[in-house]
């Protein structure tokens, strides 16, 4: 899609001369000159030399991972306009986004914004617990921004989302606690959040405008405007927002550990201007939320690792001092079960079959081992829904909905850990099976038009496997391999 939203102008520039090679077709509204006339003119025809030099200087020093923000005064005849600008560097051209700079209200002055941000940051730092941070962030951002709804939206491992914090105006449908399918924020959109600080839609129903000419003459292709704030909204997303009765929206990524954790998602019932000052507030507070969530996650991980490490030391010592691996692992079965966080474990070798706790029937275990070997599973394989992955185990879901498999020696040694089924109810914002509805031609599609509570009972799944638990399983595998090497050396 090579269209832009009409609240600003997009120019495509040849790098060396800053010559305009494409312009959005709404340029006459903002710049006083039609796109067809702008093309092949130079930026120097409209911008003062001092500002051009400043731009060139920034282009030389910028690392180009992020757009360059600046102010530009545009002059065309009697027309003079002050613009907030963003410059994006591409391999063969530059993208220049221009949005009219508005004088901030007194409440939006730098001093007031700084004071408000300082207050919010102090509150976030004092917040105890992840949920308190999420709800506090939603409430404070709504107060600062004036949006009708502000949500803190968290992704799970399958990119489904859930609303974990929300503040909203009276009369709006609440979404707190509801889940939304991964298709609501598709992969392409998620990837863009890694490089763009926010996504703006000031008017959901505004008519998008084309670039002139349509094809970039420097590349003979469509221009890549994915990183632009002004890039237009796909029709399916416009329909989605209209179904939610939303007239304007803004979303800001929350990154934890360098990865997309979630979004600050804002809705307004009518179209509204989203100025640069407000965007900056969200960008700064998003960074603070990210750092606070990262700190809490590290703290929790350290406590968990420390507890696991104590158990790991005891079990490792037990493995090393006993004459065989079977004796070492199962001398005190409770240690093994506690370390892996399982209710049952099985060790399978060519000569031994040892169990601890509650495990499936031997025939089911043998089916699992054959399945693991047949598909060349990793040294550490884990799933929280074994019946979904291997239908033959469905009858053992009460015992083995979750599996962690430690392959010691391919085809010889397996240590398996089992977790029981945990039946849980998931509240969805609309039926996730109707998230996308295709027309009869199989090509055109529409988003769901209902976001009413839809309950799903999830079965044949266990508690998930944490990264700390997987790391512990790797350590245990290493200890067992060391024991095997010692035995073979004697």
């Amino acid at each position: 899609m090579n269209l832009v939203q009409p609240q600003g102008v997009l120019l495509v520039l040849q790098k060396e001369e800053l010559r305009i090679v494409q312009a959005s077709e709404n340029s006459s509204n903002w710049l006083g000159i039609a796109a067809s006339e702008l093309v092949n003119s130079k930026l120097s025809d409209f911008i003062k030399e001092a500002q051009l030099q400043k731009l060139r200087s920034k282009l030389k020093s910028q690392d180009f991972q992020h757009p360059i923000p600046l102010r530009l005064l545009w002059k065309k005849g009697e027309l003079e306009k002050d613009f907030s600008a963003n410059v994006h560097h591409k391999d063969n051209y530059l993208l220049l986004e221009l949005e009219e700079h508005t004088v901030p209200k007194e409440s939006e002055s730098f001093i007031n914004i700084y004071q408000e941000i300082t207050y919010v940051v102090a509150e976030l730092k004092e917040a105890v617990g992840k949920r308190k941070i999420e709800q506090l962030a939603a409430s404070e951002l709504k107060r600062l921004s004036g949006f009708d709804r502000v949500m803190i939206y968290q992704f799970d491992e399958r990119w489904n989302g859930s609303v974990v914090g929300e503040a909203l105006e009276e009369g709006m449908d609440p979404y707190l606690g509801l889940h939304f399918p991964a298709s609501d924020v598709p992969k392409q959109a998620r990837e863009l959040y890694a490089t763009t600080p926010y996504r703006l839609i000031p008017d959901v129903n505004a008519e998008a405008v084309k670039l002139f000419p349509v094809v970039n003459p420097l590349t003979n292709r469509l221009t890549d405007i994915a990183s632009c704030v002004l890039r237009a909204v796909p029709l399916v997303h416009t329909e989605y927002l209209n179904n939610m009765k939303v007239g304007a929206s803004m979303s800001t990524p929350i990154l934890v550990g360098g990865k997309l954790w979630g979004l600050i998602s804002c809705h307004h019932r009518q179209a509204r201007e989203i100025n640069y000052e407000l965007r900056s507030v969200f960008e700064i507070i998003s960074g603070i939320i990210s750092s606070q969530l990262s700190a809490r996650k590290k703290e929790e991980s350290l406590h968990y690792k420390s507890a696991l490490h104590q158990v790991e030391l005891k079990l490792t010592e037990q493995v090393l001092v006993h004459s065989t691996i079977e004796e070492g692992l199962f001398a005190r079965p409770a240690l093994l079960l506690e370390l892996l966080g399982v209710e049952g474990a099985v060790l399978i070798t060519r000569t031994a079959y040892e169990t601890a706790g509650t495990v499936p029937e031997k025939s089911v275990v043998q089916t699992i081992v054959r399945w693991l070997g047949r598909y060349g599973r990793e040294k550490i394989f884990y799933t929280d829904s074994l019946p979904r992955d291997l239908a033959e185990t469905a009858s053992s879901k009460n015992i083995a909905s979750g599996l962690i498999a430690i392959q010691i020696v391919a085809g010889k040694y397996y240590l398996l850990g089992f977790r029981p089924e945990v039946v849980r109810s998931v509240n969805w914002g609309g039926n996730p099976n109707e998230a996308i509805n295709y027309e009869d031609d199989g090509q055109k599609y529409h988003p769901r038009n209902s976001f009413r509570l839809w309950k799903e009972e999830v079965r044949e799944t266990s508690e998930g496997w944490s990264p700390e638990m997987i790391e512990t399983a790797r350590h245990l595998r290493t200890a067992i391999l060391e024991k095997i090497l010692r035995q073979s050396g004697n």
Side-chain angles (χ1 to χ4, degrees):
M1 185 172 64
N2 217 222
L3 303 172
V4 300
Q5 297 182 77
Q7 75 266 18
V9 182
L10 179 63
L11 303 178
V12 182
L13 308 175
Q14 185 266 354
K15 288 182 179 179
E16 288 72 23
E17 298 178 330
L18 298 182
R19 178 170 51 85
I20 300 169
V21 297
Q22 284 180 290
S24 55
E25 291 187 344
N26 62 339
S27 60
S28 57
N29 298 337
W30 294 105
L31 306 180
I33 180 170
S36 57
E37 296 178 57
L38 265 177
V39 168
N40 289 323
S41 59
K42 294 181 180 179
L43 201 58
S44 57
D45 297 336
F46 311 101
I47 305 294
K48 290 182 178 179
E49 183 61 27
Q51 290 185 314
L52 287 175
Q53 290 302 324
K54 187 175 182 180
L55 170 58
R56 290 185 188 278
S57 174
K58 288 189 174 183
L59 285 170
K60 288 179 181 178
S61 61
Q62 179 78 5
D63 62 6
F64 304 126
Q65 292 182 351
H66 302 284
I68 302 170
L70 67 159
R71 291 268 297 277
L72 291 178
L73 183 66
W74 181 277
K75 185 170 175 57
K76 167 62 178 169
E78 296 297 317
L79 176 73
E80 272 194 15
K81 276 194 177 177
D82 192 9
F83 287 99
S84 295
N86 271 321
V87 182
H88 306 258
H89 184 278
K90 302 294 180 181
D91 288 341
N92 300 306
Y93 51 88
L94 301 173
L95 298 174
L96 176 61
E97 297 186 90
L98 298 172
E99 294 181 81
E100 189 170 16
H101 179 76
T102 55
V103 178
K105 302 172 187 175
E106 184 178 346
S107 61
E108 296 169 345
S109 69
F110 174 78
I111 294 296
N112 282 331
I113 288 176
Y114 176 78
Q115 290 173 338
E116 291 289 357
I117 289 176
T118 302
Y119 170 76
V120 173
V121 168
E123 281 206 301
L124 288 172
K125 287 182 177 179
E126 291 296 320
V128 177
K130 177 173 169 288
R131 288 289 174 258
K132 180 67 174 176
I133 292 172
E134 293 158 353
Q135 186 54 48
L136 180 63
S139 299
E140 288 301 322
L141 282 169
K142 183 188 179 304
R143 180 181 65 81
L144 285 173
S145 69
F147 277 108
D148 288 334
R149 174 193 286 119
V150 175
M151 298 177 288
I152 306 299
Y153 186 89
Q154 182 181 0
F155 294 111
D156 67 14
E157 65 279 359
R158 295 187 178 93
W159 295 109
N160 297 313
S162 59
V163 178
V164 295
E166 182 182 48
L168 69 164
E169 287 294 307
E170 188 176 345
M172 297 192 77
D173 294 332
Y175 295 141
L176 184 64
L178 296 187
H179 291 69
F180 296 83
S183 57
D184 281 14
V185 186
K187 182 180 179 182
Q188 184 181 11
R190 295 195 303 266
E191 289 174 346
L192 287 172
Y193 280 117
T195 55
T196 53
Y198 38 72
R199 178 67 164 121
L200 304 174
I201 309 174
D203 186 350
V204 166
N205 296 306
E207 187 175 349
V209 294
K210 299 177 183 177
L211 289 179
F212 177 88
V214 173
V215 175
N216 188 326
L218 299 176
T219 63
N220 292 318
R221 297 176 184 173
L222 294 179
T223 299
D224 177 10
I225 62 172
S227 61
C228 292
V229 172
L230 292 174
R231 73 181 186 279
V233 187
L235 291 176
V236 68
H237 190 56
T238 299
E239 189 176 349
Y240 178 88
L241 291 173
N242 277 318
N243 290 345
M244 294 184 89
K245 300 179 177 62
V246 171
S249 77
M250 176 177 174
S251 50
T252 307
I254 300 173
L255 304 173
V256 174
K259 296 180 180 179
L260 184 62
W261 177 94
L263 302 171
I264 302 170
S265 182
C266 309
H267 292 161
H268 208 65
R269 285 172 284 195
Q270 293 83 36
R272 66 165 292 183
E273 179 186 342
I274 306 172
N275 61 32
Y276 189 79
E277 286 75 20
L278 181 55
R279 301 175 203 179
S280 300
V281 168
F282 274 82
E283 193 173 351
I284 293 168
I285 293 181
S286 168
I288 300 300
I289 296 170
S290 297
S291 64
Q292 289 299 304
L293 290 174
S294 293
R296 296 294 194 279
K297 185 177 180 181
K298 287 179 182 177
E299 185 178 342
E300 290 172 3
S301 179
L302 283 172
H303 284 307
Y304 186 35
K305 281 182 178 179
S306 178
L308 282 175
H309 185 60
Q310 298 305 312
V311 181
E312 182 185 330
L313 288 174
K314 292 177 184 177
L315 185 60
T316 301
E317 181 183 3
Q318 188 173 286
V319 168
L320 295 177
V321 299
H322 281 78
S323 58
T324 67
I325 292 171
E326 302 94 84
E327 291 175 356
L329 287 174
F330 292 89
R332 294 168 63 193
L335 277 180
L336 177 61
L337 300 181
E338 182 182 357
L339 184 66
L340 295 178
V342 296
E343 293 194 10
V346 177
L347 176 69
I348 301 169
T349 74
R350 287 182 176 176
T351 58
Y353 185 88
E354 296 287 341
T355 68
T358 307
V359 300
E361 294 180 5
K362 189 172 183 178
S363 60
V364 175
V365 173
Q366 289 170 335
T367 298
I368 294 170
V369 170
R370 285 194 298 270
W371 174 68
L372 289 168
R374 190 183 312 136
Y375 295 101
R377 303 292 175 184
E378 312 81 50
K379 299 295 186 289
I380 307 292
F381 172 79
Y382 55 95
T383 176
D384 62 0
S385 184
L386 182 60
R388 179 190 62 207
D389 297 331
L390 182 60
E392 293 94 318
T393 64
S395 61
S396 302
K397 64 182 182 181
N398 292 336
I399 298 170
S401 279
L403 167 71
I404 186 166
I406 303 174
Q407 182 191 98
I408 312 300
V409 180
K412 294 183 180 180
Y413 286 93
Y414 279 100
L415 178 60
L416 308 180
F418 298 100
R419 285 180 174 176
E421 178 185 42
V422 177
V423 180
R424 59 193 176 93
S425 181
V426 178
N427 295 329
W428 293 91
N431 187 343
N433 301 312
E434 298 174 357
I436 297 175
N437 301 298
Y438 283 89
E439 294 186 6
D440 293 339
D441 62 6
Q443 301 296 319
K444 296 177 183 176
Y445 59 92
H446 303 276
R448 65 190 182 281
N449 54 24
S450 172
F451 297 89
R452 290 182 179 176
L453 175 65
W454 192 90
K455 290 196 173 189
E456 177 189 23
E457 192 172 72
V458 179
R459 291 184 171 273
E460 297 186 344
T461 61
S462 72
E463 182 185 346
W465 303 93
S466 68
E468 294 84 1
M469 184 63 70
I470 303 307
E471 182 182 350
T472 297
R474 296 189 196 283
H475 294 170
L476 179 57
R477 180 176 184 271
T478 300
I480 295 172
L481 285 172
E482 287 180 1
K483 177 69 173 181
I484 293 172
L485 287 172
R486 288 188 186 186
Q487 286 180 332
S488 62
N490 291 335

